[in-house]
Each structure stands twice: as C-alpha cells, then as structure tokens.
Amino acid sequence: MKSGVRYTGIPSEEELRASPGVPSPERLEQGPVAFIECVQEIPCNPCEEACPFGAITVGEPITNLPVLHGDKCTGCGVCIAQCPGLAIFKVHLRYTETTSLVEFPYEYCPLPRKGDRVPCGDRKGDYVADGLVVSVKNARGNDGTAVVAVEVPRACCLEVRTICRKEYR
Ligand code: SF4
Ligand code: SF4
C-alpha cells in the first residue's frame, strides 16, 4: 500500500524526516518548539504571517514548504491555530522528569477540559497513550480552532498528535 500524504492524507516518516519544518533533535532538547508537519507543496502561507518572531519562512514561490528556524522559535504556539491545514504542533520534550507536553489544533466536539484524562492518538487517530489535558485555548479570533495541550509519557511525544475520537465522546 502506498504511503505518504498524497495517498493517505498523513505524512509518512520519510516525509517528516525530510521536512524543513521539523526541528532538529538538538533544538527539541532545548525547550518547547513548533513542529510544522506540512509536506505538500501547496499555495499557502498564513503560518509565515502568524509567527511574531520570524521563525517560519515560506517566501517565493508561495508553494515552498514552510521552513522552521529553530533558533528563532520561542515555542509560543501562536502559529498552531493559524494553519488551515491543521499541520502545526508544539512539543515540550522535557515538561517533567518523565513526561512531555504536546499541543495540537482541535476542531471537534466535545472539547476536552483542563484536568481531563483523554485517550491520545497518532496522526491517523489511532490510540497511543492516555494523556492529561493541561490547557484548552479557544480564542475567538481562531475561528473555532481550539488548541489543546496534553501531558503524555515522553516516549510517545513524537507520535501523539490528537485525541482519539473513537474512544473519547
Ligand atoms: S511556536 Fe511561536 S515562535 Fe515558534 S514558529 Fe510558532 S509562532 Fe513562531
Ligand atoms: S499555514 Fe499550514 S498548510 Fe499553510 S503552508 Fe503553513 S503549515 Fe502549511
């Protein structure tokens, strides 16, 4: 079976490894950082406009893949809700001794609440691990795109990208 975003809608590991929007392992160790998992050359650039620190470049032509400048990214998370493709996440690798914080866009009901334990899923929505909801931001200016942060076991922070809707209703 063919893999990759063109065939499945989900970026493959190879596509993510080659993506200029994914931070280096060294940058990930340094603190919270954006993961721009945008691997298709589409005409789009709100992420570039959204970042107040100039940490995302699309440039010309507008179909360039977004580039993350890890040295400029403060991990503020402002870009997450501004991506119409729901392709931007944030990972704080060393949130505690054993856990990481993963932040993702979420457009489903019901919205979780702070303190909920939720089943977390990977990019396909398949269950990975339970997580603790640390925050839910649903700013009016974000057009219904909430940003949910979940604390998860560190070993799965590069897999968790959503809440499993099959298990969470
Ligand atoms: S997390 Fe903040 S600083 Fe980093 S790319 Fe997004 S908007 Fe820019
Ligand atoms: S806004 Fe989202 S979909 Fe558009 S270029 Fe940026 S990361 Fe890709």
Side-chain angles (χ1 to χ4, degrees):
M1 194 176 126
K2 289 183 175 169
S3 66
V5 73
R6 180 179 297 188
Y7 302 104
T8 65
I10 299 157
S12 65
E13 281 184 26
E14 293 72 29
E15 286 172 326
L16 290 172
R17 260 197 298 277
S19 166
V22 172
S24 65
E26 294 75 24
R27 173 61 188 83
L28 182 59
E29 284 287 345
Q30 288 165 8
V33 67
F35 274 65
I36 306 172
E37 300 189 352
C38 178
V39 299
Q40 263 186 313
E41 294 177 339
I42 52 171
C44 186
N45 68 357
C47 51
E48 182 174 39
E49 292 286 315
C51 178
F53 301 100
I56 304 174
T57 305
V58 175
E60 295 287 340
I62 194 174
T63 50
N64 287 338
L65 293 181
V67 177
L68 175 76
H69 306 287
D71 55 332
K72 293 185 182 170
C73 177
T74 64
C76 69
V78 164
C79 53
I80 298 172
Q82 301 305 316
C83 169
L86 308 182
I88 305 185
F89 308 88
K90 187 178 110 184
V91 177
H92 184 176
L93 182 69
R94 298 190 183 278
Y95 183 62
T96 71
E97 285 293 311
T98 56
T99 64
S100 300
L101 194 70
V102 180
E103 224 166 313
F104 48 80
Y106 197 74
E107 294 187 335
Y108 302 105
C109 291
L111 271 184
R113 285 175 299 188
K114 183 178 175 181
D116 285 352
R117 289 209 72 84
V118 291
C120 296
D122 62 13
R123 295 173 183 86
K124 290 188 213 148
D126 292 339
Y127 177 80
V128 176
D130 282 351
L132 177 70
V133 176
V134 170
S135 69
V136 179
K137 297 174 200 154
N138 196 12
R140 240 184 225 174
N142 288 346
D143 273 348
T145 304
V147 177
V148 177
V150 291
E151 182 180 359
V152 295
R154 186 175 301 148
C156 60
C157 72
L158 297 183
E159 278 183 86
V160 166
R161 290 295 180 267
T162 191
I163 294 170
C164 279
R165 286 186 299 125
K166 273 182 278 179
E167 286 84 355
Y168 184 72
R169 290 180 199 276

